[in-house]
Amino acid sequence: MTHDEPTGAIHVSGLTKSYGDHTVLDGLDLHVPAGRIFALLGANGAGKTTTVRILSTLLPFDSGQVSVAGHPLPGAARAVRRRISVTGQYAAVDKVLTGRENLMLVAELNHLGRSEARRRTAELLDRFDLVDAADRRAQDYSGGMARRLDLAMSLVAHPKVVFLDEPTTGLDPRSRREMWSVIRELADGGVTIFLTTQYLEEADQLADRVAVIDGGRIVAEGTPDELKRLVDGGRMELQFADRAQFDLAAGALPGAVTDDATLTVEVPTDGSVASLKALLDRIDSPDLAVERFALHTPDLDDVFFALTDAPRVPGPTSTKAAAR
Ligand code: ATP
Protein backbone atom coordinates (compact mmCIF):
# COMPACT_ATOMS: atom_id res chain seq x y z
CA MET A 1 0.00 0.00 0.00
CA THR A 2 1.42 3.41 -0.91
CA HIS A 3 0.80 6.43 1.26
CA ASP A 4 2.31 9.16 -0.86
CA GLU A 5 0.55 8.85 -4.21
CA PRO A 6 -0.97 12.18 -5.26
CA THR A 7 -4.20 10.59 -6.45
CA GLY A 8 -7.70 9.96 -5.25
CA ALA A 9 -7.19 6.22 -4.84
CA ILE A 10 -8.53 4.36 -1.82
CA HIS A 11 -6.88 1.26 -0.35
CA VAL A 12 -8.35 -0.74 2.49
CA SER A 13 -7.13 -4.07 3.81
CA GLY A 14 -8.24 -6.12 6.76
CA LEU A 15 -10.46 -3.34 8.12
CA THR A 16 -12.36 -4.29 11.27
CA LYS A 17 -14.88 -2.42 13.40
CA SER A 18 -17.01 -3.71 16.26
CA TYR A 19 -19.50 -2.17 18.64
CA GLY A 20 -19.09 -4.19 21.83
CA ASP A 21 -19.34 -7.81 20.71
CA HIS A 22 -21.21 -6.85 17.51
CA THR A 23 -18.74 -7.11 14.63
CA VAL A 24 -19.78 -4.72 11.85
CA LEU A 25 -16.70 -4.89 9.59
CA ASP A 26 -14.87 -8.20 9.66
CA GLY A 27 -11.71 -7.79 7.58
CA LEU A 28 -12.84 -5.55 4.73
CA ASP A 29 -10.61 -5.30 1.62
CA LEU A 30 -11.23 -2.60 -1.00
CA HIS A 31 -9.14 -1.00 -3.72
CA VAL A 32 -10.58 1.93 -5.63
CA PRO A 33 -8.49 3.37 -8.48
CA ALA A 34 -8.35 7.17 -8.78
CA GLY A 35 -10.92 8.85 -11.00
CA ARG A 36 -13.33 5.92 -11.03
CA ILE A 37 -16.86 5.41 -9.76
CA PHE A 38 -16.94 2.68 -7.14
CA ALA A 39 -20.22 1.39 -5.69
CA LEU A 40 -20.58 -0.41 -2.38
CA LEU A 41 -23.74 -2.50 -2.41
CA GLY A 42 -25.25 -4.11 0.62
CA ALA A 43 -28.50 -4.79 2.42
CA ASN A 44 -29.66 -2.57 5.28
CA GLY A 45 -27.21 -2.87 8.17
CA ALA A 46 -24.47 -4.48 6.03
CA GLY A 47 -21.93 -1.85 7.09
CA LYS A 48 -21.97 0.63 4.17
CA THR A 49 -22.40 3.80 6.21
CA THR A 50 -19.89 2.56 8.77
CA THR A 51 -17.35 2.09 5.95
CA VAL A 52 -18.01 5.57 4.54
CA ARG A 53 -17.72 7.13 8.00
CA ILE A 54 -14.39 5.40 8.63
CA LEU A 55 -12.93 6.30 5.21
CA SER A 56 -14.04 9.90 5.61
CA THR A 57 -12.32 10.14 9.04
CA LEU A 58 -15.60 10.52 10.98
CA LEU A 59 -15.31 7.21 12.85
CA PRO A 60 -12.32 5.38 14.37
CA PHE A 61 -11.69 1.74 13.43
CA ASP A 62 -10.26 -1.21 15.36
CA SER A 63 -7.63 -2.64 13.00
CA GLY A 64 -6.54 -2.83 9.38
CA GLN A 65 -4.75 -0.59 6.91
CA VAL A 66 -6.56 2.33 5.32
CA SER A 67 -5.27 4.93 2.89
CA VAL A 68 -7.45 7.59 1.27
CA ALA A 69 -6.18 10.00 -1.40
CA GLY A 70 -2.63 8.90 -0.74
CA HIS A 71 -2.70 9.39 3.04
CA PRO A 72 -2.95 6.80 5.80
CA LEU A 73 -5.65 6.71 8.43
CA PRO A 74 -5.92 7.36 11.25
CA GLY A 75 -2.51 9.10 11.25
CA ALA A 76 -3.08 11.61 8.46
CA ALA A 77 -6.75 12.39 9.10
CA ARG A 78 -6.29 16.13 8.54
CA ALA A 79 -4.59 15.59 5.18
CA VAL A 80 -7.35 13.20 4.16
CA ARG A 81 -10.05 15.66 5.23
CA ARG A 82 -8.54 18.35 2.98
CA ARG A 83 -8.88 16.05 -0.06
CA ILE A 84 -12.32 14.56 0.42
CA SER A 85 -15.95 15.51 0.75
CA VAL A 86 -18.92 13.58 2.10
CA THR A 87 -22.55 13.98 1.22
CA GLY A 88 -24.95 11.68 2.87
CA GLN A 89 -28.51 10.85 3.55
CA TYR A 90 -28.57 13.89 5.86
CA ALA A 91 -27.79 16.88 3.70
CA ALA A 92 -25.57 19.71 4.92
CA VAL A 93 -27.83 22.29 3.26
CA ASP A 94 -29.09 25.06 5.59
CA LYS A 95 -32.72 25.39 4.53
CA VAL A 96 -33.13 28.95 5.80
CA LEU A 97 -30.39 30.20 3.47
CA THR A 98 -30.61 30.54 -0.30
CA GLY A 99 -28.62 28.25 -2.59
CA ARG A 100 -26.13 31.04 -3.24
CA GLU A 101 -25.75 31.79 0.50
CA ASN A 102 -25.17 28.13 1.28
CA LEU A 103 -22.39 27.94 -1.30
CA MET A 104 -20.83 31.24 -0.16
CA LEU A 105 -20.87 30.01 3.44
CA VAL A 106 -18.99 26.82 2.55
CA ALA A 107 -16.55 28.81 0.40
CA GLU A 108 -15.83 31.16 3.29
CA LEU A 109 -15.41 28.25 5.71
CA ASN A 110 -12.82 26.97 3.25
CA HIS A 111 -11.01 30.35 3.36
CA LEU A 112 -11.48 31.00 -0.33
CA GLY A 113 -11.57 34.79 -0.01
CA ARG A 114 -14.55 36.93 -1.03
CA SER A 115 -13.97 37.25 -4.77
CA GLU A 116 -12.84 33.64 -5.28
CA ALA A 117 -15.85 32.51 -3.19
CA ARG A 118 -18.18 34.47 -5.49
CA ARG A 119 -16.51 33.06 -8.59
CA ARG A 120 -16.68 29.46 -7.34
CA THR A 121 -20.31 29.90 -6.21
CA ALA A 122 -21.37 31.21 -9.64
CA GLU A 123 -19.50 28.37 -11.36
CA LEU A 124 -21.18 25.69 -9.23
CA LEU A 125 -24.67 27.23 -9.51
CA ASP A 126 -24.26 27.12 -13.27
CA ARG A 127 -22.84 23.60 -13.35
CA PHE A 128 -25.62 22.20 -11.17
CA ASP A 129 -28.40 23.99 -13.03
CA LEU A 130 -29.32 26.11 -10.01
CA VAL A 131 -28.88 29.62 -11.46
CA ASP A 132 -32.62 30.39 -11.60
CA ALA A 133 -33.12 29.12 -8.04
CA ALA A 134 -29.92 30.67 -6.65
CA ASP A 135 -31.66 33.37 -4.61
CA ARG A 136 -34.54 31.25 -3.31
CA ARG A 137 -34.39 29.69 0.13
CA ALA A 138 -33.32 26.05 0.04
CA GLN A 139 -36.48 25.10 1.95
CA ASP A 140 -38.40 25.82 -1.27
CA TYR A 141 -36.20 23.53 -3.38
CA SER A 142 -37.41 20.19 -4.72
CA GLY A 143 -35.69 17.05 -3.40
CA GLY A 144 -33.57 16.84 -6.56
CA MET A 145 -32.49 20.49 -6.35
CA ALA A 146 -31.59 20.12 -2.66
CA ARG A 147 -29.42 17.07 -3.46
CA ARG A 148 -27.71 18.95 -6.31
CA LEU A 149 -27.03 21.90 -3.99
CA ASP A 150 -25.67 19.52 -1.34
CA LEU A 151 -23.32 17.94 -3.87
CA ALA A 152 -22.29 21.38 -5.22
CA MET A 153 -21.46 22.47 -1.65
CA SER A 154 -19.28 19.40 -1.19
CA LEU A 155 -17.25 20.36 -4.30
CA VAL A 156 -16.39 23.93 -3.32
CA ALA A 157 -12.90 22.97 -2.16
CA HIS A 158 -12.09 20.73 -5.20
CA PRO A 159 -11.98 17.35 -3.39
CA LYS A 160 -10.13 14.44 -5.00
CA VAL A 161 -12.49 11.90 -3.47
CA VAL A 162 -16.24 12.34 -3.06
CA PHE A 163 -18.16 9.99 -0.78
CA LEU A 164 -21.83 9.76 -1.69
CA ASP A 165 -23.91 7.84 0.82
CA GLU A 166 -27.11 6.81 -0.99
CA PRO A 167 -27.14 9.93 -3.19
CA THR A 168 -30.49 9.31 -4.88
CA THR A 169 -32.57 7.63 -2.18
CA GLY A 170 -36.05 9.15 -2.26
CA LEU A 171 -35.61 11.00 -5.57
CA ASP A 172 -38.05 10.62 -8.44
CA PRO A 173 -36.75 8.92 -11.61
CA ARG A 174 -36.04 12.19 -13.46
CA SER A 175 -34.10 13.72 -10.55
CA ARG A 176 -32.24 10.44 -10.13
CA ARG A 177 -31.12 10.53 -13.76
CA GLU A 178 -30.02 14.15 -13.39
CA MET A 179 -27.94 13.17 -10.35
CA TRP A 180 -26.41 10.28 -12.32
CA SER A 181 -25.31 12.59 -15.08
CA VAL A 182 -23.75 15.03 -12.57
CA ILE A 183 -21.91 12.13 -10.89
CA ARG A 184 -20.60 10.88 -14.26
CA GLU A 185 -19.35 14.38 -15.14
CA LEU A 186 -17.52 14.54 -11.83
CA ALA A 187 -15.74 11.26 -12.52
CA ASP A 188 -14.93 12.42 -16.07
CA GLY A 189 -13.21 15.38 -14.42
CA GLY A 190 -10.91 13.00 -12.51
CA VAL A 191 -12.68 12.91 -9.12
CA THR A 192 -12.90 9.50 -7.42
CA ILE A 193 -16.49 8.67 -6.49
CA PHE A 194 -17.18 6.23 -3.67
CA LEU A 195 -20.90 5.67 -3.50
CA THR A 196 -23.16 3.46 -1.50
CA THR A 197 -26.51 2.56 -2.89
CA GLN A 198 -29.45 0.32 -2.27
CA TYR A 199 -30.40 0.57 -5.97
CA LEU A 200 -28.79 -2.18 -7.97
CA GLU A 201 -29.69 -0.37 -11.16
CA GLU A 202 -27.80 2.67 -9.91
CA ALA A 203 -24.62 0.64 -9.42
CA ASP A 204 -25.12 -0.94 -12.84
CA GLN A 205 -25.63 2.45 -14.54
CA LEU A 206 -22.87 4.37 -12.80
CA ALA A 207 -20.13 2.24 -11.37
CA ASP A 208 -16.90 1.14 -13.03
CA ARG A 209 -16.50 -1.34 -10.19
CA VAL A 210 -18.95 -2.73 -7.67
CA ALA A 211 -18.28 -4.46 -4.35
CA VAL A 212 -20.96 -6.44 -2.57
CA ILE A 213 -20.72 -6.29 1.23
CA ASP A 214 -22.32 -8.93 3.41
CA GLY A 215 -21.65 -9.85 7.02
CA GLY A 216 -18.93 -7.17 7.23
CA ARG A 217 -16.90 -8.65 4.35
CA ILE A 218 -16.66 -8.09 0.61
CA VAL A 219 -18.22 -11.20 -0.95
CA ALA A 220 -17.74 -10.16 -4.60
CA GLU A 221 -16.03 -7.37 -6.47
CA GLY A 222 -15.67 -6.50 -10.14
CA THR A 223 -17.21 -4.59 -13.03
CA PRO A 224 -21.00 -4.90 -13.25
CA ASP A 225 -20.55 -7.26 -16.24
CA GLU A 226 -18.01 -9.43 -14.41
CA LEU A 227 -20.40 -9.76 -11.49
CA LYS A 228 -23.30 -10.69 -13.75
CA ARG A 229 -21.20 -13.47 -15.26
CA LEU A 230 -20.89 -15.02 -11.79
CA VAL A 231 -24.51 -16.12 -11.83
CA ASP A 232 -26.67 -18.13 -14.18
CA GLY A 233 -29.66 -15.85 -14.39
CA GLY A 234 -30.60 -16.20 -18.07
CA ARG A 235 -33.97 -17.82 -18.59
CA MET A 236 -37.14 -17.73 -20.63
CA GLU A 237 -40.42 -17.83 -18.75
CA LEU A 238 -43.50 -19.17 -20.52
CA GLN A 239 -46.95 -19.00 -18.99
CA PHE A 240 -49.91 -21.01 -20.23
CA ALA A 241 -53.65 -20.43 -20.01
CA ASP A 242 -54.62 -23.88 -18.79
CA ARG A 243 -53.30 -27.01 -17.19
CA ALA A 244 -53.40 -29.17 -20.33
CA GLN A 245 -51.21 -26.79 -22.29
CA PHE A 246 -48.86 -26.36 -19.35
CA ASP A 247 -48.41 -30.15 -19.09
CA LEU A 248 -47.82 -30.42 -22.83
CA ALA A 249 -45.13 -27.72 -22.73
CA ALA A 250 -43.46 -29.18 -19.64
CA GLY A 251 -43.28 -32.53 -21.49
CA ALA A 252 -41.75 -30.91 -24.57
CA LEU A 253 -39.09 -29.11 -22.54
CA PRO A 254 -37.34 -31.66 -20.34
CA GLY A 255 -35.19 -30.04 -17.65
CA ALA A 256 -37.41 -26.97 -17.43
CA VAL A 257 -38.37 -25.64 -14.00
CA THR A 258 -42.14 -25.79 -13.69
CA ASP A 259 -44.53 -24.02 -11.35
CA ASP A 260 -48.01 -25.49 -11.53
CA ALA A 261 -49.50 -22.81 -9.30
CA THR A 262 -48.82 -20.12 -11.91
CA LEU A 263 -48.75 -22.53 -14.92
CA THR A 264 -45.27 -21.21 -15.71
CA VAL A 265 -42.38 -23.08 -17.32
CA GLU A 266 -38.86 -21.67 -16.99
CA VAL A 267 -36.09 -22.70 -19.36
CA PRO A 268 -32.42 -21.66 -19.07
CA THR A 269 -31.12 -19.70 -22.08
CA ASP A 270 -28.06 -17.65 -22.94
CA GLY A 271 -30.43 -15.08 -24.50
CA SER A 272 -29.09 -15.58 -28.05
CA VAL A 273 -31.54 -15.54 -30.97
CA ALA A 274 -30.46 -19.08 -31.95
CA SER A 275 -31.20 -20.49 -28.51
CA LEU A 276 -34.54 -18.67 -28.25
CA LYS A 277 -35.56 -19.87 -31.72
CA ALA A 278 -34.62 -23.49 -30.90
CA LEU A 279 -36.65 -23.23 -27.71
CA LEU A 280 -39.72 -21.79 -29.37
CA ASP A 281 -39.49 -24.36 -32.20
CA ARG A 282 -39.89 -27.14 -29.62
CA ILE A 283 -43.24 -25.81 -28.47
CA ASP A 284 -44.44 -24.67 -31.89
CA SER A 285 -47.69 -26.60 -32.09
CA PRO A 286 -51.25 -25.58 -32.98
CA ASP A 287 -52.32 -27.08 -29.62
CA LEU A 288 -50.04 -24.83 -27.62
CA ALA A 289 -50.73 -21.13 -27.11
CA VAL A 290 -48.32 -19.25 -24.91
CA GLU A 291 -50.29 -16.82 -22.77
CA ARG A 292 -47.28 -14.70 -21.83
CA PHE A 293 -43.56 -14.94 -22.16
CA ALA A 294 -40.71 -13.01 -20.56
CA LEU A 295 -36.98 -13.09 -21.21
CA HIS A 296 -34.91 -12.68 -18.08
CA THR A 297 -31.21 -11.87 -18.47
CA PRO A 298 -28.85 -11.86 -15.46
CA ASP A 299 -28.68 -8.52 -13.71
CA LEU A 300 -27.14 -7.21 -10.52
CA ASP A 301 -30.26 -8.35 -8.64
CA ASP A 302 -29.32 -11.95 -9.41
CA VAL A 303 -25.75 -11.36 -8.27
CA PHE A 304 -26.82 -9.62 -5.11
CA PHE A 305 -29.33 -12.25 -4.05
CA ALA A 306 -27.06 -15.14 -5.02
CA LEU A 307 -24.21 -13.78 -2.92
CA THR A 308 -25.92 -12.33 0.14
CA ASP A 309 -28.49 -13.46 2.65
CA ALA A 310 -30.81 -10.57 1.78
CA PRO A 311 -34.40 -11.68 1.22
CA ARG A 312 -35.55 -11.28 -2.37
CA VAL A 313 -38.50 -8.93 -2.77
CA PRO A 314 -40.64 -9.96 -5.77
CA GLY A 315 -40.95 -7.21 -8.33
CA PRO A 316 -40.95 -6.51 -12.04
CA THR A 317 -37.49 -4.92 -12.17
CA SER A 318 -35.57 -7.95 -13.39
CA THR A 319 -37.85 -8.80 -16.27
CA LYS A 320 -36.42 -7.42 -19.49
CA ALA A 321 -39.29 -8.08 -21.88
CA ALA A 322 -42.77 -9.41 -21.74
CA ALA A 323 -45.19 -9.89 -24.58
CA ARG A 324 -48.20 -11.80 -25.50
P1 ATP B 1 -28.35 1.14 5.91
O1 ATP B 1 -28.52 0.92 4.45
O2 ATP B 1 -29.52 0.67 6.71
O3 ATP B 1 -27.90 2.53 6.25
P2 ATP B 1 -25.62 0.21 6.33
O4 ATP B 1 -25.10 -0.85 5.45
O5 ATP B 1 -25.19 1.61 6.04
O6 ATP B 1 -27.19 0.13 6.39
P3 ATP B 1 -24.46 0.64 8.94
O7 ATP B 1 -25.21 1.91 9.23
O8 ATP B 1 -23.04 0.76 8.56
O9 ATP B 1 -25.22 -0.19 7.81
O10 ATP B 1 -24.63 -0.31 10.20
C1 ATP B 1 -24.02 -1.60 10.25
C2 ATP B 1 -24.34 -2.26 11.57
O11 ATP B 1 -23.71 -1.55 12.64
C3 ATP B 1 -25.82 -2.29 11.91
O12 ATP B 1 -26.11 -3.55 12.48
C4 ATP B 1 -25.97 -1.18 12.94
O13 ATP B 1 -27.02 -1.49 13.82
C5 ATP B 1 -24.64 -1.23 13.65
N1 ATP B 1 -24.27 0.09 14.20
C6 ATP B 1 -24.06 1.22 13.50
N2 ATP B 1 -23.72 2.24 14.32
C7 ATP B 1 -23.73 1.75 15.58
C8 ATP B 1 -23.46 2.31 16.89
N3 ATP B 1 -23.10 3.57 17.05
N4 ATP B 1 -23.55 1.47 17.94
C9 ATP B 1 -23.89 0.17 17.79
N5 ATP B 1 -24.15 -0.42 16.59
C10 ATP B 1 -24.08 0.36 15.51
Side-chain angles (χ1 to χ4, degrees):
M1 182 162 67
T2 53
H3 293 326
D4 52 0
E5 57 190 80
T7 74
I10 298 169
H11 300 291
V12 174
S13 59
L15 176 63
T16 68
K17 172 74 184 174
S18 300
Y19 291 103
D21 55 9
H22 177 33
T23 302
V24 177
L25 301 179
D26 186 17
L28 199 75
D29 295 312
L30 287 176
H31 297 281
V32 182
R36 298 289 172 80
I37 304 181
F38 182 90
L40 188 61
L41 271 182
N44 284 342
K48 303 183 296 295
T49 300
T50 302
T51 305
V52 166
R53 286 173 57 83
I54 289 172
L55 298 185
S56 56
T57 78
L58 299 172
L59 190 67
F61 52 96
D62 299 336
S63 64
Q65 288 182 298
V66 177
S67 135
V68 177
H71 295 272
L73 289 176
R78 285 184 62 180
V80 170
R81 272 201 287 277
R82 277 201 297 274
R83 289 164 177 81
I84 66 166
S85 76
V86 194
T87 71
Q89 299 169 51
Y90 309 101
V93 174
D94 185 334
K95 299 214 156 165
V96 179
L97 301 180
T98 67
R100 190 190 307 279
E101 287 166 346
N102 267 294
L103 284 161
M104 284 297 288
L105 185 67
V106 177
E108 281 164 23
L109 288 173
N110 279 280
H111 312 293
L112 251 55
R114 198 82 192 150
S115 67
E116 175 57 12
R118 273 203 211 96
R119 195 199 61 72
R120 186 79 177 126
T121 293
E123 179 187 318
L124 288 165
L125 286 169
D126 184 46
R127 182 163 161 200
F128 286 82
D129 200 15
L130 290 168
V131 173
D132 291 344
D135 297 310
R136 294 210 318 257
R137 286 186 179 196
Q139 68 198 15
D140 300 328
Y141 282 16
S142 69
M145 288 161 74
R147 293 290 174 96
R148 292 208 302 279
L149 176 59
D150 189 37
L151 185 53
M153 286 163 64
S154 80
L155 299 179
V156 165
H158 299 283
K160 284 197 171 306
V161 181
V162 173
F163 291 96
L164 298 171
D165 196 8
E166 302 199 9
T168 66
T169 295
L171 294 187
D172 63 45
R174 177 193 289 265
S175 304
R176 177 169 299 155
R177 276 172 197 281
E178 284 169 2
M179 254 332 243
W180 288 353
S181 103
V182 168
I183 292 169
R184 282 195 197 101
E185 274 174 34
L186 268 180
D188 288 346
V191 174
T192 308
I193 310 280
F194 187 106
L195 78 100
T196 72
T197 181
Q198 52 175 294
Y199 300 117
L200 297 147
E201 189 203 353
E202 180 157 287
D204 204 358
Q205 284 278 333
L206 278 185
D208 299 303
R209 297 192 78 76
V210 178
V212 180
I213 181 172
D214 189 44
R217 286 175 165 272
I218 300 300
V219 293
E221 203 261 332
T223 66
D225 282 342
E226 281 167 357
L227 292 183
K228 287 178 212 170
R229 282 201 288 273
L230 292 177
V231 295
D232 302 323
R235 60 185 191 273
M236 166 93 110
E237 290 169 10
L238 303 158
Q239 193 175 32
F240 296 90
D242 60 50
R243 182 77 202 203
Q245 299 204 30
F246 167 77
D247 286 340
L248 207 59
L253 298 167
V257 176
T258 56
D259 180 349
D260 43 11
T262 57
L263 301 181
T264 303
V265 177
E266 258 183 38
V267 197
T269 164
D270 61 10
S272 67
V273 172
S275 108
L276 295 177
K277 183 169 181 309
L279 212 146
L280 292 172
D281 282 348
R282 283 162 69 187
I283 52 165
D284 185 14
S285 145
D287 302 330
L288 258 181
V290 177
E291 177 81 354
R292 188 187 70 87
F293 78 83
L295 178 62
H296 179 99
T297 52
D299 57 22
L300 280 183
D301 284 353
D302 297 303
V303 179
F304 188 69
F305 293 111
L307 295 174
T308 73
D309 294 331
R312 186 184 269 277
V313 180
T317 50
S318 56
T319 300
K320 289 283 193 279
R324 213 195 132 105

